[in-house]
Amino acid sequence: MKKIDLTSSEIGMLWTQYVQNSMTVQILSYLLATVEDEEIKAVVTYALEIARDVTSDTRSFFKEEGLPIPKGFTEEDVEVNAPKLFLDPFILMFLESIGKAGAAAHAVSLAVSSRKDVRDLFTKSATNTMKLYNMSVDTGLAKGLYVRPPQIDVQDEVEYVEGKKYFSPFNKRVLNTVELIHLFENIKTNSIGEMICTGFAQTTKSKKIQSYMERGKQISRKHSKVFADILMDSDIRPPMPSSGCVTNSTSPVFSDRLMMFFKSVLSAAGQGNYSTASTASMRYDLVLNYQRLSVEIALYAQDGADILMKNGWLEEPPQALDRKELRKKS
């Protein structure tokens, strides 16, 4: 049987999963070395196993297809013996986040793949990351660390929108449950982003990167407040994760390249979250908030990309051959 070549979508997704999971391996290796709670350690161990498997499996595809293997990230990008930087409650929250993000990312990768062996890989990875998410939530609930979404009373009967007032940014109605989902999740992700920026800012030796991380911390804090204030306007108190989850250690843990790349991934995820929330929200003031805050993230991400490029840290995804250049050479 003739071998079927990988499509551009498959190559792109395999590349993305390799680079991001090779980074995740380094982060989780450090968290495993510093976590203290045995039950949380079991979740970290499983998460690390998933990331290593995905890195190994995607690397095999590149080797078998004769494609350049991405550099990604290695043990050189982490100091696993560094003092503890993040407390165990943050580690569990982080695991919940990557389980959720991983399941979504692998599902998208599956949806654009054609070859059965590639689909099998992403199906397995999506299933494993769903299990990771459930493990982290179950552990958080058992330990009283899981931050639940708000609980509210809803109307007794089905209702229909009767006029444009429902969408008005001026006569603000109470929030519906779909809008609540996105406000809560964006508070949660910004809280995680704030803690990550705090840890990165105090452990880098670069003043430029320290300044960049401090700026990211302030953006995350500002966005969390915007969303929390919207909830409070509807008399809903936002459940807030603890912010005191970073130790006072200043010893370097991760390479500057890894930290900057990780922030680029978080910024892209943030923009995607805001875009989804904007589409799902039916109050125009919410839509405008998501759109203007998304612009702020985009500008921040662009500055981060500039730092990556100037330092030669931004690895290029595989791309199509430049036929014009080939003609020039011939």
Side-chain angles (χ1 to χ4, degrees), residues 125-169:
S125 302
T127 302
N128 289 341
T129 47
M130 287 178 193
K131 181 179 176 182
L132 170 62
Y133 172 74
N134 284 321
M135 284 177 67
S136 61
V137 172
D138 288 343
T139 304
L141 287 169
K143 293 184 171 297
L145 296 174
Y146 179 70
V147 182
R148 294 174 180 268
Q151 293 180 313
I152 62 169
D153 295 321
V154 297
Q155 72 270 24
D156 295 328
E157 298 178 356
V158 173
E159 295 182 8
Y160 289 86
V161 176
E162 295 182 348
K164 292 184 177 180
K165 184 179 179 181
Y166 190 84
F167 305 95
S168 174

Side-chain angles (χ1 to χ4, degrees), residues 180-205:
L180 276 168
I181 292 170
H182 294 287
L183 288 167
F184 170 74
E185 287 299 326
N186 282 309
I187 289 173
K188 206 168 182 178
T189 54
N190 273 292
S191 297
I192 294 171
E194 181 183 342
M195 286 182 268
I196 289 171
C197 284
T198 300
F200 286 178
Q202 70 188 44
T203 54
T204 180
K205 298 302 180 185

Side-chain angles (χ1 to χ4, degrees), residues 137-296:
V137 172
D138 288 343
T139 304
L141 287 169
K143 293 184 171 297
L145 296 174
Y146 179 70
V147 182
R148 294 174 180 268
Q151 293 180 313
I152 62 169
D153 295 321
V154 297
Q155 72 270 24
D156 295 328
E157 298 178 356
V158 173
E159 295 182 8
Y160 289 86
V161 176
E162 295 182 348
K164 292 184 177 180
K165 184 179 179 181
Y166 190 84
F167 305 95
S168 174
F170 305 109
N171 300 307
K172 296 177 184 176
R173 57 168 170 75
V174 295
L175 297 163
N176 64 44
T177 51
V178 175
E179 292 160 346
L180 276 168
I181 292 170
H182 294 287
L183 288 167
F184 170 74
E185 287 299 326
N186 282 309
I187 289 173
K188 206 168 182 178
T189 54
N190 273 292
S191 297
I192 294 171
E194 181 183 342
M195 286 182 268
I196 289 171
C197 284
T198 300
F200 286 178
Q202 70 188 44
T203 54
T204 180
K205 298 302 180 185
S206 166
K207 293 296 183 184
K208 190 175 187 66
I209 293 175
Q210 183 181 62
S211 175
Y212 184 77
M213 295 300 171
E214 287 289 349
R215 180 179 160 202
K217 174 182 175 180
Q218 295 306 317
I219 289 173
S220 292
R221 183 174 293 175
K222 168 190 166 184
H223 289 200
S224 291
K225 185 177 186 306
V226 169
F227 301 139
D229 287 347
I230 293 170
L231 290 176
M232 292 291 284
D233 284 343
S234 284
D235 293 323
I236 299 170
R237 184 169 294 279
M240 297 293 286
S242 172
S243 59
C245 287
V246 183
T247 71
N248 60 2
S249 174
T250 58
S251 298
V253 178
F254 304 109
S255 68
D256 288 342
R257 173 174 172 263
L258 185 148
M259 290 190 288
M260 289 301 302
F261 180 79
F262 189 29
K263 278 302 297 175
S264 75
V265 172
L266 293 179
S267 295
Q271 286 182 282
N273 291 340
Y274 287 6
S275 177
T276 302
S278 175
T279 303
S281 299
M282 300 178 75
R283 241 174 59 178
Y284 291 146
D285 60 309
L286 299 181
V287 175
L288 291 173
N289 268 317
Y290 285 124
Q291 289 177 349
R292 70 181 180 85
L293 296 178
S294 185
V295 170
E296 187 172 20

Side-chain angles (χ1 to χ4, degrees), residues 60-76:
S60 294
F61 273 100
F62 280 96
K63 288 180 69 176
E64 290 167 6
E65 300 296 324
L67 298 170
I69 297 172
K71 184 176 188 301
F73 296 88
T74 67
E75 294 175 357
E76 296 176 358

